[in-house]
Amino acid sequence: MSSTSLYHQSDTRIQTELQIIEKSKINPQHFAPLYDQYYESIFRYVIKRINDSDLACDITSNVFVKAITNLSKYEFRGLPFSSWLFRIAKSEVYQSFRDQKAKRTVSIDKVTIVQVFEELEVDALDEHKEKLKIALRRINENDLALIEMRYFEKRSYREIGEILSVTENNAKVKTFRALQKLKVLFKE
Amino acid sequence: MRKILFNKKELSSDQIKSMRDFDLVLKKVKAQRDYWSSPWFYGTVGLASILSFLMFI
């Protein structure tokens, strides 16, 4: 399943979400359809970064608790509710690293790795996998987060911008710079 | 140090669905709301405020 399959939605769907959100502000039980809809994508976002299914389950649960508790602060900006949930998920995942409950993990599947090697302009050889591992361990966290979302999870720049609270264009520029840094580290 | 995983076996959608527990989420939300609106919370904050004020004068 693509991480972004729930991001691009019709206006009707977005309006339906808004109605659910308004009802959930009064009674949290109305939030159930959004919980069911987004649970899997939030869980996958979390587990790719912490590689512990029990902890990922706890963190995902906390993401929804925080979302419901802070629903009154949610502002509709023409984008799906999922971007707000991903922002909470990002914050919860980093909190788990600060609390030393989890170790930072980067998960790359076999299809993605070929595309990453294309971006790095090298062949998909085993020795290059090792070099990529080293480069991904050395790159700073902000750049890693951008590379992860764009190249490993195939998110749009618009969604990346929403999750990181920057403009779409800024997300594009930052991701390009992050890739350049990865290329330098890869070639060292 | 970061752990880099290639081709890790992913959980299926059904496995992930089986982990959902909306009742637990609602319980946690209720527990948080009860805490913020409890007399114990306001009593502790109020007492701390009064003590801080008394220490200044």
Side-chain angles (χ1 to χ4, degrees), chain A residues 35 106 108 110 136 139, chain B residues 1-3 5 7 13 21:
Chain A
Y35 176 81
V106 182
I108 316 165
K110 60 183 172 189
L136 289 171
I139 199 162
Chain B
M1 190 163 66
R2 289 172 193 146
K3 195 173 176 181
L5 299 173
N7 304 329
S13 293
D21 187 349

Side-chain angles (χ1 to χ4, degrees), chain B residues 3-15:
Chain B
K3 195 173 176 181
I4 316 294
L5 299 173
F6 291 124
N7 304 329
K8 195 193 92 177
K9 192 174 178 289
E10 289 191 9
L11 295 175
S12 68
S13 293
D14 286 339
Q15 283 173 306

Side-chain angles (χ1 to χ4, degrees), chain A residues 2 25 88 101 113 116 158:
Chain A
S2 163
K25 285 179 184 174
I88 300 173
K101 285 182 186 166
I113 197 163
V116 172
R158 189 180 180 198

